[in-house]
Amino acid sequence: MDIPRKDVHNSDTPLLCQACESRHRGVCGALTSDQLLRLSKHSTRRSVEPGTELVGESLQAKSYSNIISGVVKLSKMMADGRQQIVGLQFAPDFLGRPFRAENGVSAEAATDVKVCSFPRNVIERMIGEMPELEHKLLEQTLTELDEARDWMLTLGRKTAAEKVASFLLLISTHAFPDNEAESVAFDLPMSRVDIADFLGLTMETVSRQLTKLRKDNVIHIVNNRHVSVPDLTRLSDRAGY
Amino acid sequence: MDIPRKDVHNSDTPLLCQACESRHRGVCGALTSDQLLRLSKHSTRRSVEPGTELVGESLQAKSYSNIISGVVKLSKMMADGRQQIVGLQFAPDFLGRPFRAENGVSAEAATDVKVCSFPRNVIERMIGEMPELEHKLLEQTLTELDEARDWMLTLGRKTAAEKVASFLLLISTHAFPDNEAESVAFDLPMSRVDIADFLGLTMETVSRQLTKLRKDNVIHIVNNRHVSVPDLTRLSDRAGY
DNA sequence: CGGCTACTTGATAAATCTCAATTGTTGTGG
DNA sequence: CCACAACAATTGAGATTTATCAAGTAGCCG
């Protein structure tokens, strides 16, 4: 995106952060240059491929991350293998559960993902010292709670057709948060199986509903992943709003 | 209820709060006597009947509440009347969404409910001044998010039989948070229709699944509302855990 | 081009919903 | 205390939606 501008007045902002697309968004937006410097001493950036587990059993418990780009899926699994995706996270969301062991939620990269990670103890210390940081976290958590509850309505009360339309609408709005136009186009960040696991359906049902939307010209699909929506209002109607 | 007891050592704790069953739980646990005093100057207690709307269009936007006793259901409704209950709240939960207009969630007393309410602006000012209060809110919000995600798994992936068992288990554990015994008995806080709206089912399906659990001696029901569970492990098995 | 995987499509089965009738519970007035 | 009305819950039969199982097709990568 933006190339970092030289800024003498901010020469103490860490280089890594100057180049970060999320510098002013997400939790880092709450930090001063000094604080960023402290944090960046312990931060590491990495890019991961789709399918990489970011929180689970492996490398998670000791670190928190900011999502810089890409989509992360949060999911839960039952003993017999049934799976439910309980949330999608986009940049600049914060990844990781402060003050608590993860509650059986695992996080996995859905697309190529870039994250900036910090050790758990550094973050927790800073949270204790900086009310503003905790405030940002509360805001994000409240947003996630709203989204979770919206999705509960989708899972519990919508038909398969409405669910699939709701999913497409969700991706439309999150891919371009301030899109005002009536049409959009995007790549689906996940497979039919993942979509089914997010909607509480089977892959086949998802596929059939996509076909129906396609036949009704509500959407166009090329190469299975690329979707264009000529009229968001019509999609929204199909989603039950 | 209780008549406030005189307590010389806490003579500066407001009488109202001394008598409050939730004094040391929930968000008030974060407050000192001084702070409680300030808050209690503006607080009002009331008891409401089942069905009373606590947050919605009416008396909500300007106040927050602590639940002192009873069960509150949070729900969402679609334009055509389909309804989904997206959460249940028990004492000493905090009721109301700080820093934000309610996101289409309405709160209604499921049982007889007692609440202690505060004006919005007083709470928001205190939150700004007291990091500890915000921390408590973050903790509660994280807990609610965990519960919402657990329920998403139930809504999306469990069978009707597992859903009904999950509901009974949820009530069992929340009615007696630190029950260690293997059996419990309680009154259901809501009707079959409400249970169906919580589980994303119809009333008839809920009824049939309760009958099945009853015939299998996993539960006993008297007068439609009173349930006893002789063996929580068996119920838990039925819930898919 | 060939092989692998993801996706689509079709036929059938299973779960859940809908509609309708019946039973049970609670509260009221005599 | 009983009879009755009003409401809540159960039960049954049939319709509908979605899942399951089984091919078949398309896109992707060597």
Side-chain angles (χ1 to χ4, degrees), chain A residues 8-241:
Chain A
V8 276
H9 298 299
N10 274 319
S11 57
D12 44 359
T13 296
L15 285 175
L16 196 62
C17 299
Q18 282 179 36
C20 177
E21 300 88 340
S22 298
R23 162 69 186 89
H24 294 288
R25 302 155 66 211
V27 289
C28 289
L31 302 178
T32 64
S33 295
D34 271 2
Q35 294 161 336
L36 274 178
L37 185 61
R38 244 175 81 201
L39 192 53
S40 72
K41 289 224 172 79
H42 305 277
S43 75
T44 56
R45 264 195 179 201
R46 60 199 172 109
S47 293
V48 303
E49 297 186 333
T52 310
E53 185 163 56
L54 294 164
V55 177
E57 330 307 319
S58 41
L59 64 146
Q60 66 307 343
K62 22 199 285 209
S63 73
Y64 294 125
S65 307
N66 268 329
I67 301 174
I68 295 174
S69 69
V71 180
V72 173
K73 57 189 206 217
L74 305 178
S75 62
K76 281 180 165 276
M77 199 156 83
M78 293 175 64
D80 61 6
R82 279 176 283 176
Q83 193 171 38
Q84 176 67 44
I85 293 180
V86 297
L88 293 180
Q89 303 210 275
F90 300 80
D93 290 345
F94 182 79
L95 198 60
R97 153 74 92 280
F99 319 123
R100 189 161 323 197
E102 285 290 330
N103 166 40
V105 177
S106 77
E108 180 181 320
T111 62
D112 283 310
V113 168
K114 283 190 210 139
V115 293
C116 187
S117 304
F118 322 95
R120 186 174 184 120
N121 57 348
V122 175
I123 288 275
E124 294 195 335
R125 186 151 15 92
M126 290 186 74
I127 289 174
E129 294 165 15
M130 305 180 38
E132 188 56 28
L133 192 57
E134 188 152 56
H135 184 76
K136 280 274 184 188
L137 277 180
L138 177 55
E139 294 258 330
Q140 168 172 331
T141 307
L142 285 167
T143 300
E144 284 181 39
L145 183 58
D146 283 345
E147 290 172 351
R149 286 175 172 165
D150 281 344
W151 209 248
M152 287 171 74
L153 176 63
T154 300
L155 288 173
R157 286 301 184 207
K158 290 191 182 175
T159 64
E162 290 169 332
K163 284 179 176 182
V164 171
S166 298
F167 170 75
L168 294 173
L169 206 54
L170 177 79
I171 300 299
S172 301
T173 53
H174 276 78
F176 307 99
D178 23 62
N179 176 53
E180 294 287 328
E182 69 172 12
S183 68
V184 274
F186 51 86
D187 283 325
L188 291 177
M190 54 218 249
S191 71
R192 301 292 188 270
V193 174
D194 279 348
I195 297 171
D197 282 345
F198 191 31
L199 294 170
L201 299 171
T202 58
M203 189 192 64
E204 293 91 334
T205 299
V206 170
S207 179
R208 283 185 242 271
Q209 297 301 334
L210 285 173
T211 299
K212 197 176 291 178
L213 288 171
R214 192 151 36 76
K215 287 194 172 147
D216 293 350
N217 286 309
V218 178
I219 59 174
H220 297 264
I221 304 183
V222 301
N223 291 352
N224 287 341
R225 285 295 185 110
H226 190 78
V227 175
S228 61
V229 184
D231 184 351
L232 282 167
T233 311
R234 291 221 297 144
L235 183 60
S236 178
D237 291 344
R238 295 292 191 115
Y241 295 116

Side-chain angles (χ1 to χ4, degrees), chain B residues 2 15 24 46-47 61 64 67 77 88 101 118 125 143 166 171 185 192 209 213 215 221 223 226 231:
Chain B
D2 313 68
L15 286 177
H24 295 287
R46 60 198 172 107
S47 293
Y64 294 124
I67 301 174
M77 198 155 84
L88 293 181
F118 323 94
R125 186 153 13 93
T143 300
S166 297
I171 301 298
R192 300 293 188 272
Q209 298 300 336
L213 288 172
K215 288 194 172 145
I221 305 182
N223 290 352
H226 191 78
D231 183 352

